[in-house]
Amino acid sequence: MGKVIIFSAPSGAGKSTIINYLLGRHLGLEFSISATCRAPRGEEQNGKEYYFFTQTEFESRIAAGDFLEYEEVYPGCYYGTLKSEVERIWNRGNAVIFDVDVVGGVNLKKKFGPEALSVFIQPVSVAVLEQRLIGRGTDALDKIAQRVAKAEYEMGFAPQFDTVIVNDCLEEALSEAEEKVKNFLGQQ
Ligand code: ADP
Ligand code: 5GP
């Protein structure tokens, strides 16, 4: 079994920004591309950020037992980790980075135990989170409201993670994340 790093946070807390930074640092990390049945956002491409499935495709993959975990993160909208992703990444000798919701994060930590580092990215406040989602400019206002409404509930999961990084000053959050990941991978 290889190593895995799990990132969870309310939407807009800065997970993608931090993960993309780490992926560019040549630490031997590879992103686990999840499957989802939400529509692509902005420049997203099938097979890069996500595998975009229809709801029917997603449900047949559930029935086939293809997922390591999956959640209905928003009503009618599934997200899940394919078993084949983890195998693909480990076979290349890399550690896996997951970007999953808080419930998925806690479940994956239980599955991988000491081979996993689970990181919760915490926004400074829900108001700042909302401003960042508006600033990102990729979601309609009703989708932003749905994400903000869930944020308080999601923040309650922070104590179940190995470590929490508050994403206030981005530079500091990036170096803290890199430090923790290198430590976990035994690279320093
Ligand atoms: P997530 O992947 O958790 O949904 P993103 O990484 O897309 O969040 O970040 C949401 C928005 O906030 C993006 O526009 C991003 O550039 C911006 N952002 C991330 N971290 C910070 C920060 N520390 N200060 C200001 N803006 C930030
Ligand atoms: P978004 O629509 O903003 O890309 O993602 C919404 C939420 O779904 C985020 O919290 C993200 O981490 C989560 N998510 C993405 N992929 C997965 C997955 O494979 N499993 C689970 N449980 N959550 C996921």
Side-chain angles (χ1 to χ4, degrees):
M1 194 195 276
K3 293 201 171 185
V4 309
I5 298 158
I6 304 158
F7 280 92
S8 297
S11 181
K15 259 179 313 166
S16 311
T17 307
I18 293 172
I19 289 173
N20 287 334
Y21 171 79
L22 292 173
L23 290 170
R25 300 295 291 165
H26 308 292
L27 304 173
L29 302 172
E30 218 176 319
F31 184 62
S32 162
I33 304 166
S34 293
T36 181
C37 42
R38 81 152 163 73
R41 188 164 73 197
E43 308 279 287
E44 286 178 339
Q45 291 167 25
N46 187 38
K48 187 164 173 250
E49 288 82 4
Y50 282 106
Y51 299 111
F52 293 101
F53 290 175
T54 62
Q55 192 160 342
T56 315
E57 271 174 307
F58 203 108
E59 283 166 353
S60 66
R61 300 293 292 261
I62 295 173
D66 290 349
F67 288 104
L68 190 58
E69 63 79 37
Y70 68 91
E71 294 294 326
E72 189 175 356
V73 178
Y74 303 108
C77 188
Y78 293 112
Y79 292 79
T81 304
L82 291 161
K83 290 176 182 167
S84 55
E85 276 299 289
V86 177
E87 291 306 321
R88 173 180 74 79
I89 295 170
W90 281 349
N91 285 339
R92 288 150 60 102
N94 288 323
V96 182
I97 287 206
F98 294 112
D99 174 340
V100 292
D101 85 309
V102 291
V103 176
V106 169
N107 286 338
L108 287 172
K109 173 67 191 179
K110 279 189 196 137
K111 273 189 205 291
F112 293 107
E115 302 309 314
L117 172 71
S118 65
V119 185
F120 187 88
I121 305 297
Q122 188 163 306
V124 180
S125 66
V126 175
V128 167
L129 189 79
E130 185 170 19
Q131 281 317 307
R132 288 191 189 161
L133 283 171
I134 293 168
R136 188 167 72 184
T138 53
D139 297 273
L141 287 179
D142 63 323
K143 291 281 183 293
I144 292 179
Q146 186 183 44
R147 283 154 193 267
V148 170
K150 214 181 162 187
E152 289 287 357
Y153 158 80
E154 292 170 320
M155 271 148 78
F157 283 77
Q160 295 185 56
F161 284 73
D162 293 329
T163 186
V164 175
I165 296 175
V166 179
N167 181 17
D168 184 1
C169 165
L170 183 59
E171 292 292 297
E172 283 174 21
L174 295 177
S175 60
E176 195 180 336
E178 184 168 0
E179 197 70 14
K180 286 180 168 167
V181 167
K182 279 184 173 169
N183 235 330
F184 173 71
L185 297 175
Q187 292 182 359
Q188 56 191 13

